[in-house]
């Protein structure tokens, strides 16, 4: 894939901070990727939905969605699986 893709990682900031950041990136890029894992997955879905619904007239839509899991070491040394999601938001041509 030759075109560059900007990634927004979802964490604990307020929801609208991610929406604003995503819209700024979409002004410069044809598509972005919103990534989250664990408890932040719900927030990532909310960000993508807000962009797609509130800016429908501006021509943004949700593209591919990938789900998976990563294996992480917890602080006590045990490995555990954490769910992940990647949501593509793109500008319609």
């Amino acid at each position: 894939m030759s075109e560059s893709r900007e990634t927004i990682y979802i964490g604990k900031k307020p929801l609208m901070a991610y929406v604003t950041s995503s819209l700024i990136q979409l002004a410069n890029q044809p598509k972005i990727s919103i990534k989250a894992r664990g408890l932040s997955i719900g927030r990532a879905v909310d960000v993508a939905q807000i962009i797609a619904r509130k800016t429908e007239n501006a021509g943004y839509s949700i593209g591919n969605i990938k789900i998976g899991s990563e294996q992480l070491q917890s602080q006590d040394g045990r490995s555990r699986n954490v769910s992940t999601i990647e949501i593509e938001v793109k500008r319609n041509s």
Side-chain angles (χ1 to χ4, degrees):
M1 190 159 158
S2 61
E3 68 184 87
S4 68
R5 176 193 258 177
E6 190 63 36
T7 303
I8 306 290
Y9 292 97
I10 305 297
K12 297 189 185 307
K13 290 181 190 169
L15 185 67
M16 291 311 288
Y18 296 110
V19 172
T20 304
S21 178
S22 298
L23 288 172
I24 290 169
Q25 293 300 329
L26 279 166
N28 303 317
Q29 306 274 341
K31 63 179 140 182
I32 63 165
S33 181
I34 299 171
K35 289 185 176 183
R37 65 183 184 197
L39 298 174
S40 298
I41 289 176
R43 183 170 282 157
V45 172
D46 291 344
V47 169
Q49 287 291 321
I50 288 170
I51 293 169
R53 287 195 179 136
K54 301 288 187 201
T55 63
E56 223 169 348
N57 298 337
Y60 296 120
S61 63
I62 295 173
N64 296 327
I65 300 172
K66 296 179 193 162
I67 58 172
S69 62
E70 291 179 3
Q71 203 163 35
L72 297 176
Q73 284 301 102
S74 60
Q75 290 178 343
D76 60 4
R78 289 191 232 155
S79 66
R80 60 188 188 111
N81 289 329
V82 177
S83 299
T84 62
I85 191 166
E86 180 178 347
I87 306 168
E88 180 185 81
V89 179
K90 57 187 178 178
R91 199 177 333 157
N92 298 334
S93 326

